[in-house]
Amino acid sequence: MNTPSNLKYAKSDEWFDPATGKVGISDYAQNQLSDIVFIEIFVEEGETIEAGKAIASVESVKASSEIYSPASGKVAAVNKDLANKPETINTDPFGEAWMIQLEGASAGDVMDAAAYEKHCEERAH
Amino acid sequence: MTYIPISPHERDEMLATVGVKSLDDLFTAIPAKHRFPKLDLPPAWTEMDALEELTNIANANENVRGDLISFLGAGMYNHYIPSVVDHMLRRGEFYTAYTPYQPEISQGTLQAVFEYQSLMAALTGMEVSNASHYDGATATAEAVNLAFAQYRGKRRKVVISPTVHPQYRAVIRTYTQGMDIQLVGDAADAELDSDPSDLLAHVDDNACLVIVQYPDFFGRVYDYTKFIDDVHAKGALVCVVANPTALAMFKTPASMGADIVVGDGQPLGIPMWFGGPSVGFFTTRKQYVHKMAGRLVGETVDSKGQRSYVLTLTAREQHIKRERATSNICTNQGLIALGTAVYLSLLGKSGLRQVAELCYQKAHYAANALSKINGYSLAHNEPFFHEFTLVCPKPVAEINAHLLEHGILGGYDLGQDYPSLANHMLVAVTEMNSKEEIDTLVEVLSEVDHG
Amino acid sequence: MVSASSTTSSPLSATIVEPTIFDLSSRGRVGVRMPESDVPAAEPPPQHLLRPELPLPELAEVDVVRHYMRLSKFNYSVDGGFYPLGSCTMKYNPKINEDVCRLPGFLFTHPLQPIETVQGNLALMYQLQEWLKEIAGFAAVTLQPAAGAHGEFTGVLMMRAYHKSRGDDKRVKMLIPDAAHGTNPASVGMMGMTVVTIPSDERGNVDLKALEAACDDTVVGMMLTNPNTLGLFDENIEKVIALVHGCGGLMYGDGANLNALLGIVRPGDLGFDVMHFNLHKTFAVPHGGGGPGVGPVGVAARLADFLPEPLVGILEEGDEDKDMPPLYGYMKPAKSIGRMKAFHGHFGGGFVRSFTYIAMHGPDGLKDIAQYAVLNANYLQARLRDTYHIPFDRICMHEFVAEGQFEGSDVRALDISKRLMDYNFHPPTNYFPLIVHEALMIEPTETENKDTLDAFAETMIKIAEEAKTNSAIVKSAPNNTQFGRMDEVKAARELVLCCWLPENYDLSA
């Protein structure tokens, strides 16, 4: 499991990059969902959102999940390409598969990489 | 014990293996005071009894293949069903299988449903079809769910033409009771023109869907192309409820720009069966597929490199998405969808077109003859398919009672649903009605006129 | 989480085992010859309304028959073998039902015919309503819902309408156990209510403490499957219902597992307020490869006014002395939620078959069904107990849940299921209920003999052995079937949902 230490993580498995304001889902989450076949991002550029708001829905071959924003802020960019290649969420969850980018963002209820790794381990049992 | 293949000594051996003394001992978890109620039901029939009794019950009806000449339609139609259809439906391999959750041993059902989807898409002109809904009415209600989900609840109004089948409109009202959604357009005083442009007044930036019927409930065929353009300009989707037989002859809703085309597949080889089961078809554009409810069969390959089929995009459905699913639908009308596929395969391009032609020709012959009877006239001038609205000189109930005395099942009394259409009868004519039958109808009605 | 599905890479061109009906089309073939028109030609419709071409396939009758016959051979079915699919009640479907439901008086009656001309149909529906009331202990029954999920939706609409009619508008929570079918929360979701999940305790019953904590004046009710999806009858059922009733909630029974209760206990007597029947499970309507189902709903007296319209009732009493039957007709309940579908429900495919099935069993025969369904399940459980871990191990009802995994083996429930196909058995239900890891949910039904059960048990034991000694053969299963495991990822990502006539196909007349 890959858990970059520069990112913050929500309990519900989203990551937030304080440096760039980007948001996506973790390697743990994509692995749990398995082969992702669909993503729909609900929020639009220019919208101001609160942490905890549902921003997207992903479906894999056998599971489905809502994605909640781990941070508050103004949506500066939406990764529109992702809908055409949802499989990149499996292959590059922290890179190419970012979902939205926030401007003037403040993190919601998030933890650091070490705490998140522990959180994931606990759930595996 | 009719269908229980366990002998008394086998039962005793099995009880011993389980470790209880009697069958009753298996039920100690049931509260004692409610255990083993005495059911007040008649004693068991034998198979001979059943055949005799059921034959008596069936014979207590008057059916439209021998007892009555029928001109009744209004959403369910008396068409010829080629013999092959039922022979295929009676294959135990098809009808005693479950939902194809194990694709390796369910390719028969899966490929047949894939073919059904393909045939329905070809007929409606749409890009995708699901594996079917319960009937045309519930398929229409599912169109509301799709549109509502597509706009994520930001548009909360559905505009329904008053010329959509009254029972379909009733079902939409039931389905949406728990949703914060407004249904407009079909108030009792709404205009009943075939041109639905009056509805445009209701279409604003809160409308997610507009529903029209084709041919409409009064049988009229109207080109919705401009109307659909106008609705799209206001950002809403359009659902067209279509009669599948009519689509063999008339331009497709897809070619008019429809986003969703639904309807009841009963006319395609399914007996009327006193109202069901039939099959609700649901077709749409590929872009809406993730918001569409119901099962979907998709093509893939197996581990041996063979073309094969699986249930796909199942993560949209209730068993995974649970309370976030667009709909709670679980089953499709598998066996009935198969019947429809067999029917369409048999009739094919020319056969279905012939059926539609026969319906059209005979309905027009009937309309022409009926409208010449003193006191009777056609309510509309627009083109129609196999159903039309006849204005009568008396209440339809009276006329139908008289027709029944002559062994004729008259048309649908529109006054039941439309107060402004008292004395209006919806007459259906299909390939099953001979010229002689139509002439008899005309003759009997001519007598009523004198009476 | 479930294990990954097979992800075989797709070859450039797949082998075609059976062409589609579109592949088989050949220009000019005709399957059915329709008669010539016997009326004078009418003026054609305006050209602009006409369809230019109809891209349907062209085949002869024999082509169609052989195609669908070949397809039928790719299916596993109850007529072909043992189908222990948990929660689906894949019992034998009596052949007489197929004959009687096709009597012309049933096949060729129109749902809008005057009631005087369909007294047979209406009498049958009335009688079936009465029998279902008696079997499950309810005050009234609607036959209209088209399937179990549709019945659930009907039930939840009535629960909502009941509270609203009393001005009790704050009830928005539905209590649902963690073992529930997905349709339960989905039905609630369609109503804009919220789902509160109630855990199960270590004996597989509803956790009473958690339930008590959730019960308050915002509860619409509880949706409970009993016996639950572990195949267990809730040992505290009366306390569960008392708690829900105590806070003003209504008790919904998911009748999916009613097969275990026929003549054993009536849900209405236990205090359930509303329940859907699955005629396609309990009362032998064939499953049809995924439908049609049939989902009547029974209700206690206080919900009877909310039933969908129309019901079938007696409009005029008959007179037995004069051999005059009653006059049956339609009735609208006073506060009806409305219509759930067009017309009257799944009459021919559903009501006629189930009516016949109940009539041919009578009260004792119905009790036999439940008793032998439960005996068969307990017998299989007893035979498998030493090989497969049974997480909630006690006397079960009509089904039980085993774990499909073994220490030191990478074989999972899915692999065991696929391996069963190699031995010509249909697999049990996998990965459900969600509260058991690697669940194998096994429901034999009452229509299987001891030899079949023994053969299945021995095969399961053999597969368990293979899992430890030769797991590769289990992981790659099915090995002996016409089709192997499917590439589900390809299906979802490439999304081919339809086929068409070949691109250059000549559609001219």
Side-chain angles (χ1 to χ4, degrees):
Chain A
M1 186 175 77
N2 183 11
T3 318
S5 59
N6 59 320
L7 305 179
K8 301 290 182 194
Y9 299 86
K11 260 189 174 167
S12 49
D13 301 309
E14 296 85 3
W15 56 262
F16 167 62
D17 184 346
T20 61
K22 282 184 176 171
V23 167
I25 67 168
S26 71
D27 188 37
Y28 176 87
Q30 71 75 18
N31 188 45
Q32 288 288 305
L33 285 161
S34 81
D35 304 287
I36 291 168
V37 296
F38 176 71
I39 176 161
E40 182 186 20
I41 298 175
F42 318 138
V43 292
E44 285 162 25
E45 282 169 22
E47 214 176 307
T48 302
I49 59 172
E50 294 292 315
K53 180 189 163 65
I55 54 167
S57 174
V58 295
E59 290 173 14
S60 72
V61 169
K62 64 196 173 216
S64 144
S65 185
E66 299 267 289
I67 310 300
Y68 304 95
S69 180
S72 307
K74 187 175 165 196
V75 180
V78 169
N79 186 353
K80 296 198 179 81
D81 290 343
L82 203 50
N84 300 322
K85 39 181 183 175
E87 61 276 9
T88 52
I89 301 170
N90 293 119
T91 54
D92 191 9
F94 298 110
E96 211 183 326
W98 63 277
M99 292 173 184
I100 61 170
Q101 186 170 21
L102 296 171
E103 198 173 79
S106 59
D109 189 7
V110 292
M111 54 192 124
D112 64 21
Y116 179 67
E117 275 181 14
K118 200 162 159 249
H119 172 64
C120 293
E121 271 167 37
E122 279 163 6
R123 283 181 296 172
H125 297 294
Chain B
M1 294 287 288
T2 314
Y3 306 113
I4 297 171
I6 293 171
S7 71
H9 82 267
E10 287 169 330
R11 175 198 61 205
D12 294 340
E13 274 177 53
M14 293 165 75
L15 286 169
T17 305
V18 174
V20 296
K21 290 205 171 61
S22 72
L23 288 171
D24 284 1
D25 288 350
L26 295 167
F27 298 97
T28 51
I30 315 282
K33 69 173 182 289
H34 298 303
R35 211 184 292 160
F36 307 135
K38 189 166 166 27
L39 299 180
D40 181 16
L41 297 172
W45 290 351
T46 63
E47 187 173 309
M48 283 170 70
D49 296 332
L51 185 59
E52 186 185 339
E53 294 288 344
L54 270 295
T55 303
N56 290 340
I57 294 170
N59 288 346
N61 298 319
E62 293 177 57
N63 73 64
V64 302
R65 297 280 175 95
D67 301 327
L68 299 170
I69 298 170
S70 174
F71 294 95
L72 184 56
M76 195 143 268
Y77 301 94
N78 181 26
H79 287 290
Y80 183 71
I81 303 170
S83 179
V84 171
V85 176
D86 197 46
H87 279 276
M88 293 300 106
L89 297 189
R90 290 189 78 142
R91 297 290 307 178
E93 295 89 334
F94 283 128
Y95 82 81
T96 73
Y98 192 67
T99 303
Y101 287 134
Q102 300 288 351
E104 297 88 344
I105 50 174
S106 309
Q107 284 299 304
T109 295
L110 285 161
Q111 184 168 335
V113 173
F114 182 79
E115 291 176 358
Y116 160 84
Q117 290 175 180
S118 306
L119 289 159
M120 294 319 301
L123 194 55
T124 59
M126 301 300 280
E127 290 166 342
V128 295
S129 160
N130 71 9
S132 73
H133 287 295
Y134 307 131
D135 66 2
T138 61
T140 312
E142 293 286 2
V144 173
N145 284 333
L146 184 156
F148 191 72
Q150 178 64 24
Y151 292 102
R152 301 194 51 77
K154 286 176 186 154
R155 287 171 171 249
R156 296 186 166 267
K157 187 163 40 163
V158 173
V159 182
I160 312 175
S161 163
T163 72
V164 170
H165 195 299
Q167 294 198 359
Y168 288 33
R169 291 186 279 122
V171 170
I172 293 169
R173 290 207 149 70
T174 311
Y175 262 56
T176 52
Q177 275 167 29
M179 291 159 78
D180 179 14
I181 201 167
Q182 203 189 344
L183 306 176
V184 297
D186 63 340
D189 59 351
E191 286 293 338
L192 300 175
D193 295 341
S194 63
D195 174 352
S197 48
D198 269 15
L199 295 178
L200 286 171
H202 296 290
V203 185
D204 53 23
D205 60 7
N206 192 33
C208 59
L209 183 70
V210 178
I211 307 173
V212 293
Q213 186 167 318
Y214 177 77
D216 71 12
F217 188 59
F218 307 119
R220 300 171 298 191
V221 180
Y222 180 81
D223 187 343
Y224 292 117
T225 307
K226 164 126 195 354
F227 175 74
I228 291 173
D229 266 355
D230 292 344
V231 173
H232 283 165
K234 297 187 177 190
L237 305 184
V238 176
C239 169
V240 176
V241 181
N243 177 296
T245 315
L247 296 184
M249 187 168 190
F250 293 98
K251 67 193 292 182
T252 63
S255 70
M256 302 179 200
D259 302 288
I260 305 166
V261 182
V262 298
D264 201 296
Q266 179 274 331
L268 305 176
I270 308 306
M272 295 190 294
W273 246 346
F274 199 47
S278 63
V279 53
F281 61 86
F282 193 109
T283 60
T284 184
R285 300 186 182 282
K286 209 163 180 175
Q287 69 198 93
Y288 302 122
V289 74
H290 282 270
K291 293 294 188 304
M292 173 169 65
R295 290 179 182 147
L296 271 175
V297 174
E299 186 183 301
T300 189
V301 292
D302 75 351
S303 56
K304 303 175 186 179
Q306 301 173 121
R307 185 171 75 185
S308 43
Y309 304 91
V310 289
L311 291 174
T312 193
L313 298 189
T314 56
R316 299 154 28 261
E317 293 182 68
Q318 49 75 26
H319 65 277
I320 290 173
K321 230 170 174 178
R322 297 174 83 90
E323 65 268 29
R324 292 183 296 112
T326 302
S327 164
N328 77 342
I329 192 160
C330 182
T331 57
N332 61 327
Q333 300 289 98
L335 194 66
I336 310 297
L338 170 67
T340 299
V342 176
Y343 176 87
L344 285 174
S345 303
L346 266 179
L347 269 80
K349 170 172 95 76
S350 57
L352 193 67
R353 173 80 197 202
Q354 274 179 300
V355 170
E357 279 283 348
L358 286 169
C359 290
Y360 179 87
Q361 295 294 343
K362 287 165 187 262
H364 283 73
Y365 173 75
N368 183 45
L370 290 166
S371 65
K372 285 183 180 149
I373 308 172
N374 197 7
Y376 289 81
S377 60
L378 296 183
H380 310 113
N381 298 316
E382 289 93 335
F384 62 93
F385 173 50
H386 68 347
E387 241 172 340
F388 56 89
T389 305
L390 185 67
V391 187
C392 307
K394 288 183 187 180
V396 175
E398 274 180 44
I399 293 172
N400 276 344
H402 179 77
L403 287 174
L404 200 54
E405 286 171 23
H406 290 78
I408 297 172
L409 192 52
Y412 184 73
D413 181 356
L414 288 165
Q416 296 173 83
D417 303 290
Y418 301 92
S420 65
L421 298 183
N423 297 5
H424 283 55
M425 182 194 280
L426 182 64
V427 180
V429 187
T430 71
E431 79 279 11
M432 299 300 288
N433 295 110
S434 65
K435 176 170 179 293
E436 196 185 339
E437 289 180 359
I438 298 167
D439 291 342
T440 306
L441 172 69
V442 173
E443 204 173 298
V444 176
L445 285 183
S446 305
E447 288 162 15
V448 176
D449 177 43
H450 300 302
Chain C
M1 272 321 225
V2 299
S3 66
S5 56
S6 85
T7 49
T8 48
S9 62
S10 61
L12 286 173
S13 62
T15 313
I16 294 172
V17 182
E18 174 63 22
T20 68
I21 206 80
F22 286 83
D23 297 332
L24 292 167
S25 180
S26 178
R27 188 163 176 263
R29 284 195 201 162
V30 175
V32 186
R33 207 160 49 84
M34 296 304 294
E36 295 295 314
S37 173
D38 57 355
V39 297
E43 198 179 313
Q47 190 62 34
H48 75 95
L49 284 176
L50 292 179
R51 170 171 202 154
E53 55 191 22
L54 185 60
L56 294 178
E58 299 174 271
L59 296 98
E61 177 169 325
V62 65
D63 303 331
V64 174
V65 170
R66 294 222 175 116
H67 171 67
Y68 287 105
M69 283 293 288
R70 288 191 295 260
L71 287 187
S72 76
K73 290 175 189 162
F74 297 156
N75 266 8
Y76 194 95
S77 65
V78 174
D79 277 359
F82 185 43
Y83 216 127
L85 198 58
S87 225
C88 300
T89 314
M90 298 300 289
K91 61 171 70 181
Y92 172 70
N93 304 130
K95 297 298 169 194
I96 181 69
N97 296 354
E98 298 310 303
D99 295 339
V100 293
C101 77
R102 287 168 169 89
L103 289 165
F106 298 136
L107 278 182
F108 303 120
T109 38
H110 191 289
L112 300 172
Q113 280 185 221
I115 56 169
E116 294 80 2
T117 65
V118 286
Q119 284 296 301
N121 291 342
L122 294 172
L124 185 146
M125 287 176 70
Y126 180 81
Q127 194 62 66
L128 184 58
Q129 287 173 188
E130 292 296 302
W131 286 349
L132 293 177
K133 278 161 62 177
E134 175 64 16
I135 287 167
F138 288 111
V141 163
T142 171
L143 300 176
Q144 199 177 79
H150 206 219
E152 261 178 45
F153 187 25
T154 308
V156 177
L157 280 168
M158 286 191 279
M159 291 163 81
R160 177 181 175 276
Y162 169 81
H163 290 307
K164 279 210 170 301
S165 76
R166 294 154 50 91
D168 197 351
D169 291 328
K170 60 185 176 303
R171 294 187 181 268
V172 292
K173 285 194 326 204
M174 188 71 85
L175 313 179
I176 300 182
D178 53 6
H181 296 113
T183 49
N184 293 172
S187 301
V188 171
M190 285 172 85
M191 220 73 61
M193 298 172 184
T194 52
V195 173
V196 178
T197 303
I198 308 293
S200 306
D201 69 14
E202 70 281 357
R203 282 186 64 77
N205 299 317
V206 170
D207 186 316
L208 286 176
K209 279 211 182 96
L211 176 62
E212 195 167 3
C215 281
D216 60 29
D217 62 1
T218 65
V219 167
V220 177
M222 179 174 197
M223 297 179 84
L224 183 67
T225 311
N226 189 36
N228 65 17
T229 56
L230 297 165
L232 301 174
F233 193 90
D234 197 297
E235 294 164 307
N236 310 314
I237 185 65
E238 288 174 298
K239 284 183 200 149
V240 169
I241 294 177
L243 279 172
V244 173
H245 283 169
C247 72
L250 294 165
M251 200 66 198
Y252 185 94
D254 180 328
N257 296 341
L258 187 67
N259 206 46
L261 302 184
L262 299 173
I264 304 299
V265 65
R266 309 194 312 164
D269 293 347
L270 292 171
F272 282 93
D273 298 288
V274 49
M275 185 193 86
H276 75 263
F277 300 80
N278 295 84
L279 299 190
H280 50 287
K281 296 179 180 175
T282 316
F283 299 105
V285 172
H287 284 75
V294 202
V297 174
V299 291
R302 60 175 161 164
L303 287 174
D305 279 350
F306 300 92
L307 284 166
E309 59 154 327
L311 301 176
V312 176
I314 291 179
L315 301 187
E316 286 168 28
E317 290 295 339
D319 187 338
E320 274 183 38
D321 296 339
K322 293 180 189 157
D323 202 25
M324 205 176 71
L327 178 70
Y328 298 96
Y330 304 112
M331 290 178 152
K332 181 177 175 170
K335 300 171 193 164
S336 175
I337 55 164
R339 247 182 196 290
M340 290 306 295
K341 71 185 294 298
F343 311 121
H344 316 307
H346 288 169
F347 177 86
F351 309 159
V352 179
R353 286 176 171 122
S354 290
F355 174 94
T356 309
Y357 185 77
I358 293 169
M360 284 182 63
H361 279 83
D364 300 334
L366 291 179
K367 187 179 173 194
D368 285 339
I369 290 172
Q371 289 194 315
Y372 281 85
V374 171
L375 174 65
N376 281 0
N378 277 286
Y379 178 71
L380 264 188
Q381 182 175 247
R383 294 234 29 205
L384 294 178
R385 179 176 288 131
D386 294 339
T387 314
Y388 288 83
H389 180 232
I390 315 278
F392 298 90
D393 191 2
R394 57 179 167 101
I395 292 281
C396 66
M397 299 297 279
H398 62 301
E399 66 190 359
F400 65 99
V401 179
E403 280 182 13
Q405 59 184 357
F406 308 98
E407 213 142 308
S409 169
D410 59 348
V411 163
R412 293 289 173 268
L414 183 78
D415 305 316
I416 295 167
S417 286
K418 301 298 183 195
R419 183 63 175 153
L420 276 166
M421 297 175 189
D422 281 338
Y423 294 103
N424 203 24
F425 288 111
H426 195 282
T429 296
N430 282 166
Y431 302 115
F432 191 81
L434 305 173
I435 58 174
V436 175
H437 289 291
E438 299 297 323
L440 289 168
M441 186 191 206
I442 303 174
E443 180 181 9
T445 84
E446 73 283 3
T447 60
E448 298 302 329
N449 66 30
K450 182 169 173 294
D451 302 337
T452 302
L453 300 179
D454 284 334
F456 179 76
E458 279 145 29
T459 302
M460 286 290 287
I461 292 164
K462 188 172 175 195
I463 293 173
E465 192 54 37
E466 289 175 345
K468 290 163 201 159
T469 57
N470 183 14
S471 69
I473 199 161
V474 185
K475 301 288 287 182
S476 63
N479 307 297
N480 311 335
T481 51
Q482 169 77 54
F483 291 91
R485 293 196 192 188
M486 306 291 155
D487 186 345
E488 297 190 24
V489 175
K490 176 185 165 75
R493 289 210 171 128
E494 296 176 13
L495 213 56
V496 178
L497 301 174
C498 295
C499 57
W500 314 92
L501 289 168
E503 219 163 272
N504 53 355
Y505 195 93
D506 182 358
L507 278 164
S508 60

